[in-house]
Amino acid sequence: MKQRISIIGSGFSALAASCYLARDGYEVTIFEKNKTVGGRARQLKKEGFTFDIGPTWYWMPDVFERFFADFNTTPETYYTLEKLNPAYSVYFGKEDYITIEDTLEKICIAFEKEEPGSSKQLMKFIDNAQNNYDVAIKDLVYRPGVSPFELVTPVTMKKIGQFFSTIKKDVRKAFKNDRLAMILEFPVLFLGAKPDDTPSFYSFMNYADFGIGTFHPKKGMYQVILAIEALAKSLGVTIKTENSIDKIIVDNGKAVSIVTNGINYKSDIILSGADYHHTETLLDSKYVQYSQNYWEKKTFAPSSLLFYVGFDKKLKNVNHHTLFFDVDFDVHAKAIYDTPKWPENPLFYASFPSITDDHAAPNGKEAGIFLIPLAPGLEDTPELRTLYFNKIIERFESLTSQSVKKNIIFKESFCVNDFINDYNSYKGNAYGMANTLLQTAFLRPKLKSKKVSNLYFTGQLTVPGPGVPPSLISGKLVAELIKKHHSN
C-alpha cells in the first residue's frame, strides 16, 4: 500500500513538494482553499487584461532549471522565457531615472555615468556576490535547517564575517553615491528585511540581479504555476480546489487525518504549504509548537497594498519593471519595521507587463500593477486604499510627465485584509518571515513538527525563506525529509 500524503495549499512550495513525493511513490492529494491553484501566485483577468496577482519578478532561472531537471524536463517544455532589457528602471525625481540593462557591462556604464570610478567598485562587489551565490544557491539553501552545523563548511568559515556585517554597511562603504547605493540595497527587500538588518552574505541577491538578470515568462508568472501543476498531475497528484481545511486530527501525538468540507480524509502524512501560524491553529492547543508570543516577536516581511489597473492607452517613460525611489527610503523602511504605520510618502513599484507581453492587455492598452510595501497588521480600509492610490498616481504622473488618471478603465486593489482572507496570512504579510541573522536557516520555524509526528511544513515561513525560488527549494527539502523518515 502506498503511503497517503495530504498537502494543504497549492503555492509554489506545496506544488513542488507534491511532484517530488509523487515521484518517490507516495499517493499525494493537494487541498486548496481557493478556486484555482497557485496560492499567492494567482491571476486576475478582467476586460481582456491579465494580471499576476502575486509574484511578478522571475529571478534565479537556474533554480527553476534545477527543479525541472529533477524530473528530466526543462522550463522550456512548459513556458517561454524572455530576458528583459532593460531589466528595470529606478526613478529618483521628475524624468530623472537610472536604467538597469541586461548585462553587467552595460550596468557598469550606467554606474560610471552616475559616479566616475564606481564601476571598479561594482565589479569587486558583484564578484563577491557571485561567490556568495555559488555557496548559497548551489549548496547552503538546499539544506533542511535542522542543525546549526549545516552552515559550517570550510567555505562559510572563511565568510563568517559576512554573517555579522550588513548589506547596508558593505554597500555604503563601497559606494558614496546615494542613488547607486539604493539600487544595490533594493534586492534584499525581496528577503523581507531592511538592508541594515540583512547579513552581508545575502549580497548574492545582487548577483541574481546584475549577474544573471531579470526574466519574464510569456503570459506571466502564472505559467510557472500551470507548468508545475501539469508536472504534478503527470506524476499522479490529485488536486482538490475549494477545499479549506477545518481541522488536523491528531491521535496519540500522530497526525492521522484532515477535515475539509465536512469530510475526513485519512492520511499517513500531512504536509502544510499554507501559512505556518494558521496551520497550527488547526491543531488542538497542546500540539502547537510556536506560541502567539513567538510569532509576535518575529520580524515579518512586509505586506503590500496592490493595485491592478487597466489603462485605455499605452504609457510612456516606463519599463516593464519600474521602481519609484523619489522619497526617503529609510523613512518608509521605519514605517514598515520600526514603528509600524501607514507611510506618509511611500516608495512604490510598478509593473507594466503589457510592454513585453501582448497577452497582458488588449491592443493599444496597458496593464499596470502598482505595489506599496507596508507593515503587516495595519488597519486596511477602502478609504485608505483610495487615499494611497491617489498619492502614488499623482506622483507617477508628475515623475513620468504624462497624465493617466483619465485613462483608467478600472482598478482593483488587494491589501492586508485580502492576504488574511484569501491566504490565512499571519497579520496579512505578503512575503513571509524576513531573513535577518536571527531568522536564518536553522533559526526559522522547522520543516517537521516537534510535537506531532507525521506533520510537516513548507513555504516562506520556514526554510530557506521568502521568494519564489526559495519556495521551490523548500518543497524539495521537505520532500527529502519526509522520504528520510518514511521510506516506503
Side-chain angles (χ1 to χ4, degrees):
M1 270 286 277
K2 284 185 170 184
Q3 287 185 292
R4 280 174 299 190
I5 298 188
S6 295
I7 299 183
I8 304 170
S10 67
F12 279 105
S13 54
L15 280 175
S18 80
C19 294
Y20 288 107
L21 292 164
R23 182 197 68 184
D24 291 342
Y26 295 93
E27 187 185 308
V28 183
T29 306
I30 286 176
F31 297 86
E32 165 57 53
K33 89 185 271 282
N34 292 312
K35 284 181 182 168
T36 55
V37 297
R40 290 158 201 250
R42 294 184 298 156
Q43 264 187 340
L44 166 67
K45 292 190 172 199
K46 185 166 179 172
E47 296 181 35
F49 291 81
T50 301
F51 304 88
D52 280 313
I53 290 180
T56 53
W57 293 76
Y58 191 106
W59 271 8
M60 304 186 187
D62 48 314
V63 174
F64 296 85
E65 283 160 19
R66 189 164 166 177
F67 169 76
F68 285 105
D70 284 342
F71 302 93
N72 300 316
T73 185
T74 63
E76 293 73 30
T77 308
Y78 297 94
Y79 53 88
T80 307
L81 210 55
E82 182 180 340
K83 189 172 189 182
L84 294 180
N85 186 33
Y88 57 90
S89 51
V90 186
Y91 269 88
F92 294 98
K94 189 175 173 62
E95 287 186 38
D96 173 17
Y97 55 87
I98 293 174
T99 299
I100 300 301
E101 291 191 73
D102 62 342
T103 67
L104 193 49
E105 291 70 32
K106 292 177 192 169
I107 297 166
C108 279
I109 292 166
F111 266 56
E112 205 55 41
K113 204 168 142 193
E114 182 69 22
E115 184 187 347
S118 62
S119 64
K120 267 200 190 101
Q121 289 285 29
L122 181 63
M123 288 306 287
K124 215 159 53 176
F125 187 82
I126 295 297
D127 191 47
N128 180 58
Q130 179 173 3
N131 195 276
N132 286 350
Y133 191 89
D134 289 342
V135 174
I137 304 303
K138 294 178 184 170
D139 179 20
L140 287 187
V141 293
Y142 285 91
R143 298 179 183 208
V146 171
S147 148
F149 296 107
E150 291 170 11
L151 293 180
V152 182
T153 69
V155 180
T156 55
M157 289 323 289
K158 287 182 198 154
K159 292 177 173 288
I160 196 78
Q162 290 193 47
F163 285 95
F164 297 99
S165 184
T166 68
I167 290 283
K168 182 158 193 157
K169 243 183 227 162
D170 291 8
V171 166
R172 297 286 165 168
K173 200 158 58 184
F175 299 91
K176 297 297 166 252
N177 181 294
D178 196 45
R179 293 147 60 111
L180 297 182
M182 278 168 81
I183 291 172
L184 286 164
E185 287 167 359
F186 126 78
V188 302
L189 296 178
F190 285 126
L191 299 168
K194 290 192 299 184
D196 55 358
D197 276 340
T198 304
S200 304
F201 184 68
Y202 284 105
S203 69
F204 63 73
M205 294 293 286
N206 294 107
Y207 177 69
D209 180 2
F210 287 4
I212 304 174
T214 304
F215 296 77
H216 174 73
K218 199 169 185 183
K219 297 191 186 175
M221 284 292 283
Y222 197 64
Q223 295 308 302
V224 188
I225 287 290
L226 294 178
I228 305 172
E229 179 192 29
L231 176 62
K233 285 180 171 173
S234 76
L235 293 161
V237 174
T238 302
I239 299 175
K240 294 177 181 287
T241 52
E242 295 185 88
N243 270 266
S244 186
I245 307 301
D246 303 313
K247 182 100 178 126
I248 296 171
I249 308 291
V250 179
D251 184 20
N252 255 341
K254 191 176 182 180
V256 293
S257 64
I258 54 168
V259 179
T260 165
N261 295 347
I263 302 169
N264 188 315
Y265 289 91
K266 286 200 163 56
S267 317
D268 297 302
I269 296 155
I270 293 167
L271 166 60
S272 179
D275 180 274
Y276 206 123
H277 169 269
H278 168 72
T279 303
E280 290 217 308
T281 68
L282 303 173
L283 295 162
D284 290 338
S285 57
K286 63 179 172 181
Y287 297 122
V288 171
Q289 314 167 81
Y290 300 110
S291 67
Q292 197 56 34
N293 195 29
Y294 170 90
W295 295 110
E296 288 291 337
K297 286 182 172 162
K298 293 295 162 193
T299 303
F300 271 79
S303 185
S304 302
L305 169 55
L306 290 136
F307 296 101
Y308 309 98
V309 187
F311 295 97
D312 68 7
K313 67 172 185 182
K314 298 304 276 181
L315 304 190
K316 57 181 191 174
N317 300 335
V318 287
N319 292 123
H320 183 124
H321 297 298
T322 310
L323 300 154
F324 294 87
F325 285 3
D326 55 306
V327 297
D328 194 313
F329 190 95
D330 291 335
V331 172
H332 187 157
K334 276 184 188 128
I336 297 174
Y337 296 104
D338 302 343
T339 46
K341 60 180 181 184
W342 281 83
E344 191 59 39
N345 293 306
L347 303 155
F348 65 98
Y349 151 68
S351 172
F352 303 96
S354 43
I355 289 175
T356 306
D357 193 336
D358 51 17
H359 292 89
N363 200 15
K365 297 179 180 173
E366 204 87 89
I369 300 166
F370 296 83
L371 181 154
I372 301 172
L374 294 174
L378 292 183
E379 179 194 21
D380 167 16
T381 64
E383 294 74 22
L384 279 164
R385 294 187 189 198
T386 302
L387 172 72
Y388 276 81
F389 182 73
N390 291 333
K391 273 187 189 220
I392 63 170
I393 213 74
E394 276 161 22
R395 266 178 42 216
F396 177 82
E397 288 187 321
S398 161
L399 292 163
T400 64
S401 301
Q402 63 190 318
S403 89
V404 299
K405 255 194 197 163
K406 292 188 181 127
N407 301 95
I408 293 171
I409 305 167
F410 65 83
K411 76 170 194 297
E412 298 279 341
S413 63
F414 200 94
C415 196
V416 173
N417 292 346
D418 302 299
F419 282 103
I420 294 168
N421 295 335
D422 288 6
Y423 312 129
N424 296 310
S425 166
Y426 179 71
K427 286 189 173 178
N429 80 80
Y431 306 105
M433 212 160 87
N435 263 340
T436 58
L437 179 61
L438 296 176
Q439 294 181 178
T440 289
F442 65 96
L443 296 169
R444 296 178 73 77
K446 298 282 182 257
L447 291 167
K448 185 180 189 305
S449 171
K450 294 177 290 196
K451 292 200 174 176
V452 180
S453 64
N454 299 357
L455 176 61
Y456 294 82
F457 299 84
T458 186
Q460 54 187 12
L461 290 184
T462 179
V463 291
V468 176
S471 293
L472 285 182
I473 294 165
S474 188
K476 179 175 187 170
L477 294 177
V478 78
E480 286 172 347
L481 207 57
I482 288 170
K483 192 180 175 188
K484 186 177 159 189
H485 293 135
H486 306 269
S487 298
N488 278 332

